[in-house]
Amino acid sequence: MCAVFGILGDYDPAMARRGLAALAHRGPDYCGIVEERGLFFAQHRLSIRDLHERSHQPLREGNVLLSFNGEIYNYREIAETLQLKAATEAETVLAAYLRWGIDCVHRFRGMFALAIYDDGTLHLLRDRLGKKPLFFAKQKERFVFASEIKGILPFLSRVRMNDDAMMGFLSHQAPTAPHTFFEGIEKIAPGELITVTNGSVSRRFYYCLLEHAEPVDESSAPQRIEARMEESIAMRLEADVPVAALLSGGIDSAAVNAFAKKLGRPLQTFSLGYAERWNYDESESAAETARILGVNNTKITIGQTDFIDAIDPVMDALDEPLNDPAAIPLYLLFGAIKKEGYRVVLSGEGGDELFLGYRQYFDYLDIEQLASLQRKAWLKKFFHGHFSVNREWEWYKRAFDDTLLFRGAGEKFTDLQKNALMRRNVRDEEGLRFIQPERDRFDASRWTHPAQWYSYLDLRHLQAEYYLAKLDRVSMAHGIESRTPMLDHRLAETVFGTSAALKIGNGRPKALLKQIMQPYLGDAILNRKKKGFASPYMEYLHASGKIDLITEVNEQTGLFKKEMLARYIDAAVKRGRFKQQVWSLFVLSHWMKKHLL
């Protein structure tokens, strides 16, 4: 796990080192630099496997340079195919490129952001499901790329906010690819390849889940998925440093730890608790899961002061607004895990999107049926004449309008809500453009069931640009590699290819996963009410007075209507409604104050 960084074209060596230094937290063990006329190619290394110096990067063979961030879990198999003896992971990746060219990526199983410089041509790739990040800026004098936005910031003459990123963020909790909040900086999408030659930039997708997943026979699906899960977790237990795991009260983290124990590698687990507001605390459920599984569990307790003090460093780690208040307690949890000496942590991301774990998926499936009503003109007229800020109103309106209903489980502000809140005209359906490319790919594919659309879209955005972005930044801020075995692409293809009917089952979230995990977890865990990674963030924000930042910044920017903004804040503080919408306004205000005001 590392940070990649590089420049093609003219550059100031001091500025290049300043950009590289901003990424040092991602790789505290070694820094390698290749510095030539018109080329700066570098890496910070976090040593996880092959700890010796032969694995230092950038790695060079003739006119080819390699720097990559991540893990190729099957590199030994590839090395055997290439007849390499005792090759390191980096040596294997470079040899694979020299043998097969950029198509070598199809042989890799893991998480990665690759930078390969080949005699004047630069290839940048992000892994299939978006676990590892990669950003770039194409400027007149140079092309700059980095694992985090902060590495590119020194090369901006000034910071301007990308309006598309801001509008996409309000709708979908994180900017949709290729947008970032910084005008001039783009992010590479999951499964995307960027090629730079003679100053021109081309981009294409080398992988799409819709194309690679194949239909799975229902009778064999549970067994095949179970085998894939065990295989995926086994691969991610390999490391030359201590490995731990997160443990909540949910099924996904329990499944990861259950398989790890079955494989003879019971992991030390860590869970989170709160000094106040016990109704948010999942530590008792996590402790019960640990007892059932027979693994050690350590509870990390945080309070309001810890949370508030961590806001600034977390916002710095994220670089741009991300509407997930869980980023702060997760950052504190990783900080505690680092003190215990762990460098690799397994997490359960991906289970909800693959196995239909969100309750609202089933709400959407019900509402989808309204589109087939023969006599709905009166209902359509009624909904258009009786606006409500509640999201259910928007869902019904879309069904009666025959427009796309599901736009992401993480959708927050609808276009009409944004229009009511913002001091600008936001047309209804304007935000659809941020996800329309994904819908076009889905419509052109073999898949047709609404539940398959839900999974696909949420894997592409909610998981990749929201949950995984959060996990990567807050773990790497402490020099810890986070691994997500549920998001192994072979496992994802198998689950996605399984019939929607089997995954929907009796209408309970994660019905198929619960069936598979029954022998491992039992009813006490499987029937526990889903709580999610909740925290008393709004109570903390209000009690500390930090929430006033929203009003303060709005006085300077005039972005939002004062009365409507006050109504949202009042509803969040007094009635617990629209809390996450208000958190999004807080993190947006924090970013604007730092970079624009």
Side-chain angles (χ1 to χ4, degrees), residues 4-20 23 33-43 65 67 115 117 120 122 124 135-146 151-152 154-155 196:
V4 300
F5 177 84
I7 308 168
L8 295 184
D10 295 335
Y11 64 89
D12 175 0
M15 186 180 293
R17 280 172 166 73
R18 189 157 72 248
L20 177 62
L23 307 174
I33 300 174
V34 172
E35 188 173 6
E36 300 173 357
R37 181 181 178 86
L39 174 67
F40 190 92
F41 205 79
Q43 186 194 69
L65 284 166
S67 176
Y117 179 79
L122 175 68
L124 301 175
F135 301 87
F136 70 87
K138 184 182 184 302
Q139 301 173 333
K140 184 177 180 180
E141 305 86 0
R142 68 189 68 87
F143 181 94
V144 189
F145 63 92
I152 304 177
F155 298 90
V196 185

Side-chain angles (χ1 to χ4, degrees), residues 89-271:
E89 184 180 26
E91 289 170 336
T92 302
V93 171
L94 182 55
Y97 174 77
L98 293 173
R99 170 72 67 86
W100 298 300
I102 203 62
D103 285 342
C104 65
V105 67
H106 297 297
R107 298 174 181 262
F108 298 157
R109 191 169 177 182
M111 55 180 181
F112 49 84
L114 286 171
I116 300 173
Y117 179 79
D118 187 349
D119 196 20
T121 296
L122 175 68
H123 299 293
L124 301 175
L125 302 96
R126 188 175 174 196
D127 63 68
R128 298 168 180 86
L129 297 180
K131 300 173 187 178
K132 294 293 103 186
L134 199 51
F135 301 87
F136 70 87
K138 184 182 184 302
Q139 301 173 333
K140 184 177 180 180
E141 305 86 0
R142 68 189 68 87
F143 181 94
V144 189
F145 63 92
S147 289
E148 294 182 15
I149 290 173
K150 58 176 60 70
I152 304 177
L153 287 183
F155 298 90
L156 297 183
S157 57
R158 59 171 292 188
V159 172
R160 296 182 178 88
M161 183 170 69
N162 177 353
D163 192 69
D164 281 341
M166 190 264 290
M167 297 300 282
F169 159 78
L170 290 174
S171 291
H172 303 291
Q173 305 194 83
T176 55
H179 304 295
T180 76
F181 263 81
F182 296 87
E183 189 176 290
I185 299 179
E186 298 183 43
K187 61 182 168 187
I188 299 176
E192 188 176 23
L193 163 66
I194 303 292
T195 301
V196 185
T197 306
N198 297 324
S200 66
V201 179
S202 65
R203 52 199 317 165
R204 67 175 175 88
F205 288 103
Y206 69 86
Y207 178 87
C208 179
L209 179 63
L210 297 171
E211 298 170 3
H212 286 77
E214 298 284 345
V216 176
D217 179 72
E218 283 196 21
S219 62
S220 63
Q223 294 76 24
R224 289 181 61 180
I225 293 170
E226 181 179 352
R228 284 292 192 205
M229 287 176 64
E230 183 171 335
E231 177 187 52
S232 173
I233 291 165
M235 297 175 84
R236 285 156 180 80
L237 290 172
E238 290 192 27
D240 296 328
V241 295
V243 180
L246 302 183
L247 186 63
S248 67
I251 299 172
D252 300 333
S253 61
V256 169
N257 283 284
F259 276 110
K261 185 176 181 184
K262 178 186 177 183
L263 291 162
R265 290 283 305 277
L267 300 174
Q268 170 65 46
T269 66
F270 291 87
S271 56

Side-chain angles (χ1 to χ4, degrees), residues 551-567:
T551 305
E552 171 195 327
V553 170
N554 194 56
E555 289 290 335
Q556 297 176 268
T557 64
L559 189 61
F560 304 111
K561 299 171 185 174
K562 293 181 181 180
E563 181 182 347
M564 185 60 71
L565 186 64
R567 286 169 61 183

Side-chain angles (χ1 to χ4, degrees), residues 435-453:
I435 61 168
Q436 190 63 51
E438 302 300 349
R439 184 64 195 186
D440 292 341
R441 292 187 191 100
F442 183 82
D443 286 340
S445 74
R446 71 173 75 190
W447 312 100
T448 59
H449 197 285
Q452 291 162 333
W453 162 241

